[in-house]
Amino acid sequence: MDTHIEKTAQLLDSDQGLEKAGLTKKSSLQGVHPPWHDFAMSHPGSDNGFLVAHSSKIHDLLRVQMKKAQFEKVQTSEEWLRNYSLESLQLTLEHLVDEGNIILNLRNGVEEIEFPEETVKDFESALSEVIELYQQRIQWLLQDSRKVFGLIKGTKVGLLVDVSHISCRSRLLDFQKDLFCLIDEQLCYKKQLYCLSFSAEMSPLWESPKNINVHVLHEARQWIKQLEPGRGCNLLKGLKHVFMMKELNSLVLIVGSCPDQSLEILSDYAQQCMLGRKLHLHAVTYDCSSPSLAVLKNFAEAVRGRYHCYSSKGESFDSSDFQLLLQESWKAKDLLRSIKQTFQRRIGDSLIGRIADVSTEFTSTAPCNFFPKPPKHEGPLVIQTPCILAKTSKEWLKTYGLKAKKLNLYQVLAPNAFSPVEEFVPILRKTVSSTLHEKAMIQFEWYDGTVKNVHVDLPVLYNYQKLLVKMVRIYEKRIDWLSVASRRIWGSVFERRVVILVDVSVTNSMYIIHIQHSLRLLLEEQMSNKDCFNIIAFGGDIVPWQLELVPSQPENLQKAWRWVLRLQCKGSRNLMSALRRAVEIDFKDKDKHKSQGLYLLTTGIPDQETHTISAYVAEVCRGFDLQLHVCLFSVMEEVDSNGIIPARYANPTETAIAFKEIVQKANGRFHWFGEAGIFESDDITIIVSEMEKANKYSQKCAFLVESLKQRSVNQSVNTFIPADPHVLTKKEKRRPQKLPSPKPTALSLARMYIKDNHDAERNASRRVETWRPTSARAEIPSGPVYQKYPKVMCIGKSVPSVTLPNKEEICSSREWLSKYSIKKLKLELPRLLFGPGCTHQQKTVVSLHKKVSAKYCTVFPSVEIDGIVKHLQFQPKELEIYTEQLEKVLRRYIERIQWLLSGSRRLFGTILEANVCILIDTSGSMDPYLPHIMKELTSLIWEQLRKNKVRFNLLRFAENTETWKECLVEATDETCHSAVQWVSTFHAHGNTCTLMALQKAVSFQGIEALYVLTDGKPDTSYSLILTEVERLRKKQDIKIHTISFHCADREANEFLKKLASQTGGRYHCSFGDVDGQLAAHRMLTEGFDDEDDPVFPYFEGDDLKKLIQEVAKARGFLKQAKSLRLLLQKWNINQKDNSGF
């Protein structure tokens, strides 16, 4: 055992050694008092008798607090400041004001506050001592292991160490040295310890936490010496393991690279696991890059933990403990500076003069110091990385607009829309229009003002209206997104280079807190992904934060926020100077860059005339990718509380009109908001316009459907309106009315018998030729008038008997339904019940001037089918047989769905081909689901591949690809065992190289199909993959079946659908499988009486989707058949009642 171990053993085993170190065995479990508590303070001199009671109270309280600090255990800065903050020590401006006495100045009648000189002096002295106290605390935090890892809280500590970043030998040695210091200086005083290293895989030192002793510390040091670099940073896997240790009350994460998982996944999982547990989380970044730093800081903030950032290169660091102390120290220094400035002329002044100075200082203090502030208003920024790419609504609608989605009404109607046909008829010597549309089409006004004849397809319009409703919901979500957080104030900031212009004129004094909070939200939520930025405050003077644009790094954002907190409102609104400064300095190279934006936050009209500013911005923005966006904050009062009127005055409406003109010249956007909400926004207005367009289209669809229904009713009931028989047209008066020629009389049965008799044929012909009609005016028929009418075909069809196989066929739903669909089984209800002879017809009787129904119309019941009245010539018994057959088919469909939702088919679908390769995405985002996928893949190997004797291979892909075998192999027991063992080694890490995986899989000899399972976007563009796949298929015709697993990205799912469709494959998605199984079970047990319950969830996969559609079609026919059967039964009862039976 080395010398260090022996010293540690002596320290832990000896009570005397612990007491020399300032500890006892008992206190070692509770924490130690920090060394900085032992410093000597320079206390003020003794009381000279002139001090007021409160000044003595301040010193006494400070002395007691400082002595008390020497005996307290180690605390975080947040805990420590509960006792030693300015508020706790009663050293704020409010406390000083409370010690003054209000007096009346007899010369000017103004009330002033009188302070004894000793009180102010004592207050300054106490502030100086507190500032020194803060500085010594900060220096203590910068010593030893606290500088690298921060202050470790808790008694039972779990240590998670990331080893993915220590590939360099020198870096590994430095890291090990720092870890040794952490164990020797902090962890050795804890009660329990648990150590775990992780990269793509994790390596725990012990199975459970160990009580601290010499041997445990020795094992920990040996573990540190044996640390080896790894690949990937699977932080989620490490957290899953360590959260199972319920004994721990503190968790230290030491990370040196960016985690494989996103911030959302890590924070959501940690919050769920820490719910209800008193577990302190301390995140340490060791020589991390900026993205990693932001992720870990935001992760610590999300779980209400602490963070510590250390960099060995620049000896720079940042931590939550350090920032809290700095903020309190800045507040104390600002307060002390303010007091000293007030009393800098006190020599030779009277006490009252000094009182006036104090009173003036108090009254001149910014009102914002007394206003209510949001929680943690002055705290550090909680920087977030935007999860989506910011776009203006105009750009967003290029992807999600009605026209982009091909949901424009005229796009939908165009295939069935025809222009009216007009032709010149020489005989009539005039142009004649076609009248076919009057019977088959609806006339509809087109977008260009012309009228077109439209064939109305009801199913298409119904589906179109459903899609419109879906798009309106998407637009509502977009508006909700634009109306919250920083977007409520600034809109969507999408440029890469941004300059923020902030109005800090004196009229905004009452609203400086609002302005600061608005800037805080912007810096936290929308600026971290920009290239560079700057902030310019303008009132009477122009005050830039930086001389030029700086990168949007977390440290720069924090510095900008601290600068914003010191802003003061002065002067008028010199907007023109601020614009010139931004354009001529920050955007001096605007012609060399793209995506540049100016964002102006103001509360009123600028000093300069509107046309002057408009002309300037039009000139500087013309020809460049530079826009000016205005965010107008409408305050409640038109002038400030002191009655200060700005240089130019305009009411809110006039101000908005002026800025709209400026924005229009600068190609920007206008955003007008207030405390009540958003009054006007160009981004929201364009979305609302799209929603109104969708509503307008929906109304036009309803008009088309209603027109079609009205026409159908008029044609079937009474489309002919008889004219007044006494009113004749001029043409009818000139020409006498001619009676119509009588129709040839039909032959009687006797005459037909004679005609059929071959022996009497000649006599019959002679008799017919000598026959004359009774009317003398009637024309003589030119030939024989008798005819033999064809036999009337039976309209009703018998219900076919259906036989379906009980054994499931291994084929796609498309192939299966090509043999067993309702249409193939001839069970479509309209075709089965209603032939052409069933249509209700009316014929015009000229002499009656109206349409008359046939006699048989009263014999059969009438129903309206698709807007056409038809006669039902079926019996209830036949409909009962039809219902039984259809329910039989429905049960078979449900059983097929249950089969598709069982076993490995639930996740992977059905394997159809005999030579396949299974591709599994094992990127970092798959880590939470990888155990489930490995289990399902094992089931697939045995259930489908082995059972059906499929030649197969397996391939996993992340940042690179790895195959199980070099070629396809037969599915034997031995190969399946080997495949399952290979699957058990899967681990998630890296990106998603989909294209590389497809290229590798296509190269296998004899391959017929690929089955690709993934959960998101590939790391290459969609078009590149589709083009490359099309090129590869020219050499070998291979189907690609895609499987979407837990993918919420709509674009990624659409890409998978397109990839499958392009290669003749199928798209499969297992979402909704549990609900689908439940719905299928309920249908088989409860029956099909209710069409609306139960209902299958919406399946996007091709196989399930087609079967669900067929089931819905069958349930509709079943409901219709039952209602028709009930109608027939009522009809028969009424007929019996009317006949007297």
Side-chain angles (χ1 to χ4, degrees):
M1 188 177 297
D2 56 14
T3 306
H4 188 86
I5 296 297
E6 293 176 357
K7 291 181 179 179
T8 304
Q10 294 174 2
L11 178 66
L12 292 174
D13 294 339
S14 173
D15 294 346
Q16 185 178 2
L18 291 173
E19 291 176 358
K20 287 181 180 180
L23 300 170
T24 63
K25 284 189 176 181
K26 181 178 180 181
S27 65
S28 67
L29 302 179
Q30 299 174 348
V32 309
H33 72 278
W36 66 270
H37 281 151
D38 297 330
F39 67 89
M41 293 292 298
S42 57
H43 300 297
S46 60
D47 190 349
N48 57 10
F50 293 100
L51 298 180
V52 297
H54 181 70
S55 61
S56 300
K57 189 189 302 182
I58 292 176
H59 275 288
D60 293 342
L61 178 62
L62 192 58
R63 292 189 189 101
V64 171
Q65 295 283 19
M66 290 178 177
K67 290 180 180 179
K68 181 181 177 182
Q70 298 179 6
F71 301 100
E72 289 189 351
K73 60 182 181 180
V74 176
Q75 295 175 317
T76 64
S77 292
E78 184 178 2
E79 297 169 338
W80 186 82
L81 285 173
R82 293 173 187 169
N83 297 323
Y84 305 110
S85 65
L86 296 179
E87 185 70 32
S88 301
L89 297 174
Q90 299 183 2
L91 291 176
T92 63
L93 184 61
E94 290 84 350
H95 292 100
L96 177 61
V97 172
D98 290 340
E99 297 301 318
N101 298 319
I102 299 177
I103 64 174
L104 181 64
N105 191 328
L106 299 178
R107 288 180 297 177
N108 52 19
V110 177
E111 289 186 350
E112 296 178 335
I113 304 178
E114 179 181 9
F115 295 92
E117 183 177 356
E118 292 79 6
T119 300
V120 179
K121 181 179 178 180
D122 193 67
F123 194 86
E124 290 178 348
S125 176
L127 276 178
S128 300
E129 292 179 3
V130 170
I131 292 173
E132 184 180 354
L133 183 68
Y134 293 154
Q135 292 297 328
Q136 291 179 358
R137 168 84 181 184
I138 291 174
Q139 290 299 323
W140 178 74
L141 288 175
L142 296 179
Q143 296 174 1
D144 305 324
S145 64
R146 292 181 295 275
K147 179 177 181 180
V148 181
F149 301 104
L151 190 64
I152 307 302
K153 177 72 175 173
T155 58
K156 302 176 181 179
V157 181
L159 183 66
L160 272 75
V161 180
D162 170 26
V163 294
S164 62
H165 65 290
I166 54 175
S167 56
C168 179
R169 177 66 179 173
S170 59
R171 186 171 183 177
L172 174 60
L173 294 177
D174 292 341
F175 185 54
Q176 290 174 334
K177 180 180 177 182
D178 291 334
L179 287 175
F180 289 149
C181 293
L182 176 65
I183 289 181
D184 297 340
E185 295 174 7
Q186 296 194 60
L187 298 183
C188 65
Y189 298 118
K190 304 300 179 182
K191 188 175 182 179
Q192 288 186 350
L193 181 65
Y194 182 78
C195 300
L196 181 144
S197 64
F198 68 93
S199 54
E201 299 293 338
M202 60 180 184
S203 175
L205 176 58
W206 305 296
E207 294 183 358
S208 60
K210 298 290 185 180
N211 293 328
I212 295 291
N213 56 46
V214 176
H215 300 290
V216 168
L217 294 177
H218 178 67
E219 289 179 7
R221 291 176 60 83
Q222 292 299 322
W223 171 74
I224 293 174
K225 289 181 181 180
Q226 296 172 2
L227 290 178
E228 295 181 356
R231 296 176 58 186
C233 180
N234 196 342
L235 178 56
L236 181 62
K237 193 171 186 177
L239 289 174
K240 282 185 175 181
H241 184 81
V242 79
F243 277 141
M244 297 172 62
M245 308 299 168
K246 303 299 183 182
E247 304 95 329
L248 301 178
N249 58 22
S250 178
L251 187 59
V252 181
L253 309 178
I254 303 176
V255 181
S257 60
C258 188
D260 294 343
Q261 296 80 21
S262 65
L263 172 63
E264 291 78 9
I265 293 177
L266 292 173
S267 58
D268 288 347
Y269 179 76
Q271 287 172 354
Q272 293 176 12
C273 293
M274 295 174 66
L275 191 65
R277 291 183 60 182
K278 292 183 178 180
L279 181 64
H280 304 280
L281 189 139
H282 182 63
V284 180
T285 60
Y286 186 91
D287 274 345
C288 271
S289 60
S290 295
S292 308
L293 188 66
V295 170
L296 266 297
K297 287 177 67 174
N298 292 335
F299 174 62
E301 293 285 349
V303 297
R304 297 183 178 181
R306 296 181 298 125
Y307 68 88
H308 185 90
C309 308
Y310 169 75
S311 174
S312 60
K313 295 179 181 179
E315 292 295 324
S316 60
F317 60 93
D318 184 20
S319 73
S320 51
D321 286 336
F322 182 73
Q323 289 296 333
L324 290 173
L325 287 172
L326 279 182
Q327 290 173 16
E328 201 69 17
S329 178
W330 287 335
K331 288 167 61 177
K333 289 179 180 178
D334 289 342
L335 181 57
L336 182 61
R337 187 184 307 112
S338 177
I339 294 175
K340 286 183 177 180
Q341 288 175 357
T342 304
F343 293 98
Q344 61 185 354
R345 300 185 309 275
R346 66 186 184 183
I347 299 177
D349 291 344
S350 64
L351 183 61
I352 298 300
R354 292 188 62 255
I355 295 171
D357 289 341
V358 176
S359 178
T360 303
E361 175 65 20
F362 177 73
T363 56
S364 63
T365 302
C368 63
N369 292 332
F370 304 99
F371 293 160
K373 300 178 181 179
K376 298 184 179 180
H377 175 69
E378 297 181 355
L381 299 178
V382 183
I383 300 174
Q384 305 173 14
T385 302
C387 58
I388 62 175
L389 182 63
K391 290 182 180 180
T392 63
S393 291
K394 186 176 181 180
E395 289 293 325
W396 185 80
L397 287 176
K398 291 180 180 179
T399 305
Y400 298 99
L402 296 177
K403 187 175 181 180
K405 292 291 185 181
K406 297 182 180 180
L407 291 178
N408 186 295
L409 177 61
Y410 304 104
Q411 290 176 306
V412 175
L413 296 179
N416 295 325
F418 305 92
S419 299
V421 178
E422 293 184 353
E423 287 188 2
F424 181 78
V425 180
I427 298 177
L428 301 176
R429 296 182 180 180
K430 65 178 181 180
T431 302
V432 179
S433 300
S434 171
T435 59
L436 178 63
H437 67 276
E438 296 178 357
K439 297 182 179 180
M441 299 183 182
I442 301 295
Q443 286 195 326
F444 184 71
E445 183 178 356
W446 214 244
Y447 63 89
D448 56 0
T450 60
V451 176
K452 291 187 179 293
N453 300 322
V454 178
H455 171 70
V456 180
D457 191 337
L458 289 178
V460 171
L461 288 184
Y462 176 70
N463 185 56
Y464 172 66
Q465 286 189 311
K466 289 204 307 185
L467 293 175
L468 284 181
V469 172
K470 184 178 179 182
M471 291 307 300
V472 168
R473 289 174 182 168
I474 293 175
Y475 297 151
E476 289 174 348
K477 289 181 180 179
R478 171 77 179 182
I479 292 176
D480 292 340
W481 182 76
L482 288 170
S483 304
V484 297
S486 63
R487 294 175 295 276
R488 174 183 175 272
I489 302 167
W490 301 91
S492 179
V493 179
F494 68 96
E495 292 89 355
R496 304 300 303 173
R497 306 175 81 237
V498 177
V499 172
I500 305 165
L501 305 177
V502 184
D503 175 9
V504 290
S505 59
V506 68
T507 52
N508 291 336
S509 300
M510 302 295 292
Y511 304 98
I512 186 63
I513 297 297
H514 295 74
I515 294 173
Q516 289 175 344
H517 186 65
S518 301
L519 285 166
R520 178 187 179 96
L521 292 177
L522 178 65
L523 294 174
E524 285 182 337
E525 298 177 4
Q526 299 198 59
M527 296 303 296
S528 62
N529 64 342
K530 309 304 177 190
D531 293 340
C532 50
F533 79 105
N534 197 2
I535 305 176
I536 299 175
F538 68 94
D541 299 325
I542 309 303
V543 184
W545 169 55
Q546 295 291 337
L547 297 178
E548 57 184 8
L549 295 175
V550 297
S552 296
Q553 298 174 349
E555 52 269 23
N556 287 335
L557 295 175
Q558 297 287 1
K559 292 176 182 177
W561 170 239
R562 291 194 290 269
W563 177 81
V564 168
L565 287 174
R566 297 193 292 271
L567 287 178
Q568 294 182 358
C569 296
K570 298 178 182 178
S572 56
R573 293 191 185 94
N574 192 355
L575 175 59
M576 179 62 80
S577 297
L579 288 172
R580 287 185 180 277
R581 200 274 175 202
V583 172
E584 296 172 7
I585 297 179
D586 291 298
F587 291 133
K588 59 185 177 181
D589 298 328
K590 59 181 180 295
D591 56 331
K592 300 179 181 178
H593 299 277
K594 299 291 184 182
S595 187
Q596 304 168 105
L598 283 162
Y599 284 80
L600 168 63
L601 178 63
T602 183
T603 59
I605 199 162
D607 295 347
Q608 295 77 21
E609 295 292 336
T610 302
H611 63 85
T612 304
I613 300 177
S614 299
Y616 176 73
V617 297
E619 179 183 354
V620 298
C621 295
R622 186 183 298 116
F624 305 103
D625 190 0
L626 175 64
Q627 296 87 27
L628 169 64
H629 313 285
V630 174
C631 306
L632 177 60
F633 176 37
S634 184
V635 299
M636 296 178 63
E637 298 179 358
E638 297 177 354
V639 295
D640 69 343
S641 59
N642 296 324
I644 300 174
I645 300 177
R648 290 182 66 226
Y649 173 76
N651 61 38
T653 304
E654 294 171 345
T655 303
I657 294 173
F659 278 117
K660 283 182 183 179
E661 180 182 343
I662 295 173
V663 164
Q664 186 178 6
K665 297 293 183 181
N667 299 322
R669 293 167 292 146
F670 177 69
H671 188 83
W672 184 15
F673 70 99
E675 294 184 358
I678 298 175
F679 303 136
E680 184 176 347
S681 170
D682 289 347
D683 274 339
I684 294 179
T685 300
I686 193 172
I687 299 294
V688 172
S689 175
E690 199 73 5
M691 293 173 64
E692 291 175 350
K693 189 186 297 183
N695 185 40
K696 181 180 177 182
Y697 289 160
S698 180
Q699 291 176 354
K700 290 187 176 182
C701 281
F703 165 75
L704 286 172
V705 173
E706 187 63 28
S707 299
L708 181 63
K709 288 183 177 180
Q710 190 65 31
R711 172 169 291 181
S712 301
V713 171
N714 291 340
Q715 289 178 352
S716 61
V717 179
N718 188 15
T719 59
F720 179 78
I721 301 177
D724 190 347
H726 302 288
V727 179
L728 300 177
T729 62
K730 295 181 180 180
K731 187 178 293 185
E732 290 174 334
K733 288 182 179 179
R734 293 195 205 101
R735 182 180 299 174
Q737 187 175 5
K738 182 180 178 181
L739 295 175
S741 302
K743 293 184 178 180
T745 306
L747 298 178
S748 64
L749 293 176
R751 289 183 179 180
M752 293 187 68
Y753 176 77
I754 294 172
K755 181 182 178 300
D756 292 337
N757 192 345
H758 180 72
D759 296 334
E761 183 176 357
R762 182 176 301 177
N763 296 332
S765 296
R766 187 177 298 114
R767 292 176 185 175
V768 169
E769 290 175 359
T770 59
W771 173 84
R772 294 291 183 271
T774 56
S775 175
R777 291 175 178 263
E779 298 177 357
I780 300 174
S782 58
V785 297
Y786 58 83
Q787 57 180 333
K788 185 174 182 178
Y789 293 94
K791 293 183 179 179
V792 179
M793 295 180 63
C794 180
I795 297 173
K797 300 178 182 178
S798 60
V799 179
S801 179
V802 176
T803 303
L804 295 175
N806 294 326
K807 185 178 179 181
E808 296 295 349
E809 299 180 23
I810 300 177
C811 61
S812 65
S813 292
R814 181 188 295 273
E815 297 174 4
W816 195 79
L817 289 174
S818 65
K819 295 181 288 185
Y820 306 115
S821 67
I822 295 176
K823 184 176 180 179
K824 284 293 181 181
L825 297 175
K826 299 180 180 180
L827 287 177
E828 289 183 307
L829 187 61
R831 295 189 179 184
L832 191 63
L833 297 184
F834 307 109
C838 293
T839 304
H840 176 77
Q841 294 182 354
Q842 290 182 327
K843 207 164 186 180
T844 303
V845 179
V846 181
S847 59
L848 298 177
H849 294 284
K850 67 177 182 179
K851 289 188 175 183
V852 178
S853 302
K855 291 183 178 180
Y856 68 83
C857 290
T858 58
V859 178
F860 302 104
S862 301
V863 293
E864 183 177 340
I865 304 296
D866 296 333
I868 300 174
V869 178
K870 295 191 176 184
H871 296 290
L872 186 61
Q873 300 183 17
F874 244 47
Q875 296 301 318
K877 183 62 178 177
E878 293 172 302
L879 285 174
E880 183 180 354
I881 297 173
Y882 173 81
T883 302
E884 292 175 356
Q885 294 296 319
L886 196 58
E887 288 182 346
K888 179 180 177 182
V889 173
L890 261 174
R891 288 192 186 91
R892 186 64 187 89
Y893 287 166
I894 302 301
E895 291 171 359
R896 175 81 178 180
I897 292 173
Q898 286 183 323
W899 181 72
L900 290 175
L901 291 174
S902 64
S904 59
R905 287 174 294 275
R906 180 180 58 84
L907 179 59
F908 291 94
T910 309
I911 305 298
L912 306 181
E913 296 78 10
N915 301 278
V916 301
C917 179
I918 314 296
L919 290 78
I920 305 297
D921 177 6
T922 58
S923 59
S925 57
M926 294 288 287
D927 184 72
Y929 319 109
L930 206 54
H932 175 68
I933 292 176
M934 292 161 59
K935 179 181 177 181
E936 294 293 335
L937 188 55
T938 302
S939 176
L940 172 71
I941 293 172
W942 290 106
E943 183 183 1
Q944 295 196 60
L945 302 182
R946 178 67 183 97
K947 182 178 180 181
N948 300 326
K949 299 180 180 179
V950 178
R951 294 177 68 245
F952 73 101
N953 198 356
L954 305 177
L955 184 150
R956 62 183 179 189
F957 62 96
E959 57 191 12
N960 49 31
T961 62
E962 182 181 354
T963 59
W964 168 53
K965 299 290 184 183
E966 294 301 322
C967 60
L968 301 182
V969 298
E970 298 289 343
T972 62
D973 290 345
E974 183 180 355
T975 56
C976 289
H977 279 296
S978 175
V980 171
Q981 187 175 3
W982 184 76
V983 167
S984 65
T985 64
F986 281 9
H987 62 275
H989 67 282
N991 301 323
T992 310
C993 60
T994 306
L995 180 58
M996 189 187 304
L998 293 174
Q999 291 171 335
K1000 177 67 175 177
V1002 169
S1003 65
F1004 294 138
Q1005 186 69 28
I1007 191 75
E1008 294 181 25
L1010 308 180
Y1011 288 79
V1012 184
L1013 184 144
T1014 183
D1015 72 333
K1017 292 184 178 179
D1019 54 7
T1020 52
S1021 67
Y1022 299 147
S1023 57
L1024 176 62
I1025 296 177
L1026 295 174
T1027 304
E1028 181 64 17
V1029 167
E1030 190 63 27
R1031 185 186 66 81
L1032 294 173
R1033 290 187 73 246
K1034 291 180 180 178
K1035 301 178 182 179
Q1036 187 177 1
D1037 187 13
I1038 297 177
K1039 294 181 179 179
I1040 299 179
H1041 307 279
T1042 56
I1043 304 163
S1044 173
F1045 183 78
H1046 280 276
C1047 180
D1049 191 328
R1050 190 67 183 174
E1051 291 184 5
N1053 284 329
E1054 291 298 329
F1055 159 70
L1056 294 178
K1057 291 179 183 178
K1058 191 170 184 180
L1059 178 61
S1061 175
Q1062 179 177 306
T1063 58
R1066 294 165 297 140
Y1067 170 77
H1068 183 75
C1069 180
S1070 62
F1071 178 77
D1073 54 332
V1074 177
D1075 294 336
Q1077 291 172 344
L1078 177 61
H1081 176 73
R1082 287 186 58 193
M1083 286 184 191
L1084 292 179
T1085 55
E1086 299 175 8
F1088 310 99
D1089 294 333
D1090 191 348
E1091 183 185 8
D1092 300 324
D1093 184 55
V1095 177
F1096 281 107
Y1098 178 72
F1099 288 108
E1100 293 189 1
D1102 293 340
D1103 281 343
L1104 288 169
K1105 185 177 181 180
K1106 286 181 173 59
L1107 267 178
I1108 297 301
Q1109 290 174 350
E1110 200 70 15
V1111 168
K1113 182 179 178 181
R1115 294 179 76 179
F1117 286 156
L1118 186 62
K1119 180 180 179 181
Q1120 194 175 5
K1122 291 181 178 179
S1123 63
L1124 290 177
R1125 183 185 175 195
L1126 182 62
L1127 175 64
L1128 275 175
Q1129 291 174 346
K1130 292 182 179 178
W1131 176 272
N1132 293 335
I1133 293 173
N1134 292 336
Q1135 290 296 318
K1136 290 181 179 179
D1137 294 341
N1138 294 335
S1139 62
F1141 290 101

